[in-house]
Amino acid sequence: MKSRLVAEFLGTLWLVLGGCGSAVLAAKVLSTDPTPVNLGIGFVGVALAFGLTVMTAAYAFGHLSGGHFNPAVTLGLAVAKRVEWAAVLPYIIAQVIGGTVGAAILYVIAGGKAGFSATASGFAANGYGAHSPAGYSMLAALVCEIVLTCIFLFIILGSTDDRAPQGFAPIAIGLGLTLIHLISIPVTNTSVNPARSLAVAWFAGGWALKQVWLFWVAPIIGAVIAGALYRSLTDEKVDSHELSEARVNEARA
């Protein structure tokens, strides 16, 4: 368990530092010599950064802990019976601490630029209403986070199934997370991960901490729905297969 928790800590740290770091440090970089030019990576770059961090972390630490790096993923996998319930709370604690350390490192780096303020910049925090990047409502944010987290869990569960091609799961998961960000950055700044949301909200403070509840509740609902549905579908398939075998055996007898 110790090695599993260290892996979850490090993977979540990397996810927050790499993903949120791209949003805070690299999304918009202006050069004014000789003329103003935006050298930043924009929404597409941030989406790719999140996908790349989860993909690389999954390859680096997945063989140790399963590569969750996300409390919603851990809960969804537990519902789907892919991880034991006894591991859920320790995993979530390791993920929250890892994400917070990653955000703290990012805060130190970002603070190296004169005039930086985590509160004023938002520090890549998730929000709705006035704090949504494009002004989307709380209901829109709630639906978005539930549905996209649900789909994300289906991608994880399907790509890591014993019947899926082996060795490619981190690629599918990374690309899935990239697509999720491309869809939802304008809506909520994209969470689908409570640890990521809380990690930066500590430093943004104010509105970010007041709204962070949605980015725990919605991803967990979406993940639990996906875990239950996937388990139901796989159980149905197993039952159907067993029934077919029984009929074949009965016919032979």
Side-chain angles (χ1 to χ4, degrees), residues 16 21 31 35 46 62 107 110 114 161-162 164 179 186 204 230 252:
V16 171
S31 171
T35 56
V46 173
Y107 182 80
D161 195 291
D162 290 339
L179 177 55
Y230 194 86
R252 285 175 178 170

Side-chain angles (χ1 to χ4, degrees), residues 120-232:
S121 68
F123 204 56
N126 302 113
Y128 55 83
H131 303 290
S132 159
Y136 285 86
S137 68
M138 183 179 74
L139 179 60
L142 187 68
V143 172
C144 183
E145 290 289 331
I146 289 173
V147 172
L148 292 181
T149 308
C150 185
I151 293 169
F152 187 43
L153 259 291
F154 270 114
I155 294 169
I156 292 170
L157 288 162
S159 63
T160 57
D161 195 291
D162 290 339
R163 292 159 293 185
Q166 299 300 299
F168 297 100
I171 298 173
I173 294 166
L175 289 175
L177 190 61
T178 298
L179 177 55
I180 285 168
H181 278 77
L182 289 173
I183 295 166
S184 60
I185 286 177
V187 183
T188 63
N189 229 10
T190 310
S191 171
V192 302
N193 185 337
R196 167 261 189 271
S197 297
L198 184 59
V200 292
W202 294 128
F203 297 90
W207 65 265
L209 283 173
K210 289 178 182 177
Q211 294 191 356
V212 77
W213 67 268
L214 185 144
F215 303 102
W216 275 81
V217 172
I220 287 173
I221 291 172
V224 168
I225 290 171
L229 282 175
Y230 194 86
R231 183 66 188 176
S232 174

Side-chain angles (χ1 to χ4, degrees), residues 45-65:
V46 173
L48 282 169
F50 272 99
L52 289 170
T53 55
V54 78
M55 182 181 73
T56 52
Y59 275 120
F61 306 114
H63 61 286
L64 295 174
S65 67

